[in-house]
Each structure stands twice: as structure tokens, then as C-alpha cells.
Amino acid sequence: QVRLVESGGGLVQAGGSLRLSCAASGRTFSNYAMGWFRQAPGKERDFVAVISGNAGTTYYADSVKGRFTISRDNVRNMVYLQMNSLKPEDTAIYYCARASQGTGLTSTDYGNWGQGTQVTVSS
């Protein structure tokens, strides 16, 4: 059973930065793509970014491209989301997830989820 634990969320002013971390259990971490999703109140869970198992491929949602950077450390079983130039519309609960296969761009491509971490961006 894979366990994913996010951390690093908080309250930040618009224009600021946060770095989210996700710690994963298991010995096959590098075999799977890892993604970040977010869900704002009253909205669906949206794709943010994904990184392949060997970190050779990344994809980003258009809304975060150029501001967010996903990375991973396969030795420490960690995945990160560096968020810069934050906007109030980035406010959401951010979830780390492990892809079932490939580098999925939708939540149905992921079989394991963390509990989420709240990010709030004030204007």
C-alpha cells in the first residue's frame, strides 16, 4: 500500500512563493509518474503538473506554466512543487498522487492520493 503525505502549504500573499513536498512510501517510487492536483471550494479537482518516473518528462496546466515547477528525488522518495508568483486563484487544497500508468493528465489516471495540503493566497 502506497502512502503519500503532503506538506508545505500555508498562507501567502499574492506574488509570493511556496514549496510543497510529498513523501511517498514504497520501494518502487521511481517506477511511477507523480502528479499534483488542486481543488478549490465548490470546484472539481484539477490537474496541475506531472513528472515521469525518471524525471525526464513534465507537463503543466496552462494556468501554472512558467510559475510552477515539479521535481522529484527518487533516492528520498519525494516529489516537490515549487510555486512562484502565486495568485489568489491558486488558492486550493493541493494533492499529491501516484499515476497508475503513464503520465496522466486527469485524476482518473491516478490510483493513490495524499490527504492534501491547503494553500491560501491573499490579495
Side-chain angles (χ1 to χ4, degrees):
Q1 184 71 14
V2 175
R3 185 167 180 249
L4 303 173
V5 180
E6 302 96 333
S7 61
L11 173 64
V12 64
Q13 288 189 330
S17 298
L18 281 175
R19 187 195 196 204
L20 305 184
S21 299
C22 173
S25 64
R27 292 179 288 179
T28 59
F29 178 73
S30 62
N31 290 351
Y32 297 91
M34 297 294 296
W36 287 97
F37 287 75
R38 66 186 182 186
Q39 188 167 19
K43 296 188 177 181
E44 294 184 350
R45 190 170 297 188
D46 291 331
F47 167 78
V48 174
V50 62
I51 186 167
S52 62
N54 64 2
T57 301
T58 57
Y59 295 110
Y60 296 91
D62 288 342
S63 59
V64 307
K65 205 170 292 184
R67 299 188 298 123
F68 290 11
T69 302
I70 189 170
S71 62
R72 66 190 295 159
D73 182 338
N74 285 343
V75 173
R76 294 181 172 83
N77 281 18
M78 297 289 294
V79 61
Y80 306 99
L81 186 69
Q82 178 67 44
M83 305 186 296
N84 299 328
S85 303
L86 283 161
K87 305 175 182 179
E89 52 263 43
D90 294 319
T91 295
I93 299 174
Y94 283 71
Y95 297 91
C96 170
R98 192 184 82 168
S100 299
Q101 59 181 5
T103 49
L105 304 183
T106 65
S107 59
T108 55
D109 295 319
Y110 293 77
N112 300 96
W113 295 83
Q115 83 290 347
T117 185
Q118 176 71 48
V119 172
T120 303
V121 184
S122 63
S123 57

